[in-house]
Amino acid sequence: MYYDIIVIGAGPAGMTAAIYARRAAKTVLVLEAVNYGGQILNTPDIENYPVEAHISGFDFAAKVYEQAKALGAEFVFEKAVGICEEDGKKVVVTTKNRYEAGAVILATGSENRKLGLEDEDKLVGRGVSYCATCDGNFYRKKVVAVVGGGNTALEDALFLSDLAEKVYLIHRRDSFRGEETNVNRLKEKGNVEFVYHANVTRLIAEKRLKAIEITDKLDGSVRTIELNGLFVAVGRVPENQNFASLVKLDDSGYVVAGEDCHTSCEGIFVAGDNRTKTLRQLVTATADGAMAATEAVKYINNIG
Ligand code: NAP
């Protein structure tokens, strides 16, 4: 099946690209491995996107999805595993099918970075989580820890502090990458304990996680914290591995591209958190979607 534009990834960047491409009257397929929405689904309350002072990530994603669908974008839930070129067309290969396109937009976003601790994978769903919005409810009146110092960790800690009895916020430094407003809000909470200069160095479990060991980076001392849940929010890694043979990636795995969203491969564009950029925010993701679609439309019109 041929589409003018295939968008890989149905996060805010990909779905915005679909909206722009449909408004330029191009046929559009959006391929998504799991569910539409992407990383923004993990944000309980978006406060920095123009127009709405408060909206949940879930509601935001649902609105953009409905908008793209209403404009005629097709969504197929299959994981794209590669792209090749045949007879001047791009062929996107998924786990189930092959789809042809004039242009492709990579909007694959990023996945959770892990701590890399023994048994971390085994304990997912048994005390270890990467999504406070999804799993926070299981920890009502319990003791949890959040590890990380970016916006995600701060927002997770805030969200959990309204549910849990106690929240430890464990960060490897004593200053945060995330917004000062949220740090201040957390300081006002009576049930949040900041643990600075510390790394989580061991997960202690029987059937479920029951404690963590943290190591102080300054003096090497080791402390055990008994808890019910550990929320890991130590950043994300771009999901570009499947396209590395076609487009140039930087040393950290991001697709190398400027504000025009062009990649090193003609006819392949990139939008959102998986490209090289200085500010990864919802507003820059949607801006990328608009730009990538506009450039993809120009490209198709020129080759057509
Ligand atoms: P991030 O900003 O990259 O922060 C990751 C944090 O984890 C950093 O504080 C880092 O420490 C720490 N870290 C990294 N590897 C670690 C390890 N192995 N062990 C312990 N700590 C580790 O990631 P993020 O918070 O997921 O945010 C990603 C992007 O999305 C950011 O640009 C963020 O602003 C954006 N975001 C925005 C919003 C919003 O606008 N509402 C919400 C969520 C996320 P160091 O600081 O020491 O490097």
Side-chain angles (χ1 to χ4, degrees), residues 111-123:
E111 62 188 344
N112 298 311
R113 178 178 290 123
K114 308 225 162 135
L115 290 171
L117 294 173
E118 194 177 346
D119 291 338
E120 187 174 344
D121 286 340
K122 274 195 217 157
L123 290 168

Side-chain angles (χ1 to χ4, degrees), residues 38-39 42 109-113 152 234-239 254 273:
Q39 189 195 341
N42 300 341
S110 54
E111 62 188 344
N112 298 311
R113 178 178 290 123
T152 305
V234 296
R236 307 189 53 92
V237 284
E239 293 199 67
Y254 292 96
D273 280 4

Side-chain angles (χ1 to χ4, degrees), residues 12 39-40 43-57 60 150-152 154-155 177-182 185 279-287:
Q39 189 195 341
I40 201 65
T43 299
D45 188 16
I46 302 166
E47 293 179 299
N48 58 2
Y49 196 83
V51 177
E52 295 241 32
H54 295 275
I55 183 169
S56 73
F60 180 91
N151 275 320
T152 305
L154 298 179
E155 288 181 1
R177 253 172 222 280
E179 287 176 20
E180 192 66 25
T181 321
N182 285 338
R185 280 180 187 162
L279 184 64
R280 292 194 173 84
Q281 292 279 291
L282 183 54
V283 73
T284 61
T286 55

Side-chain angles (χ1 to χ4, degrees), residues 284-304:
T284 61
T286 55
D288 273 11
M291 178 61 86
T294 305
E295 292 300 298
V297 168
K298 270 194 226 161
Y299 173 79
I300 293 166
N301 288 345
N302 283 337
I303 58 167

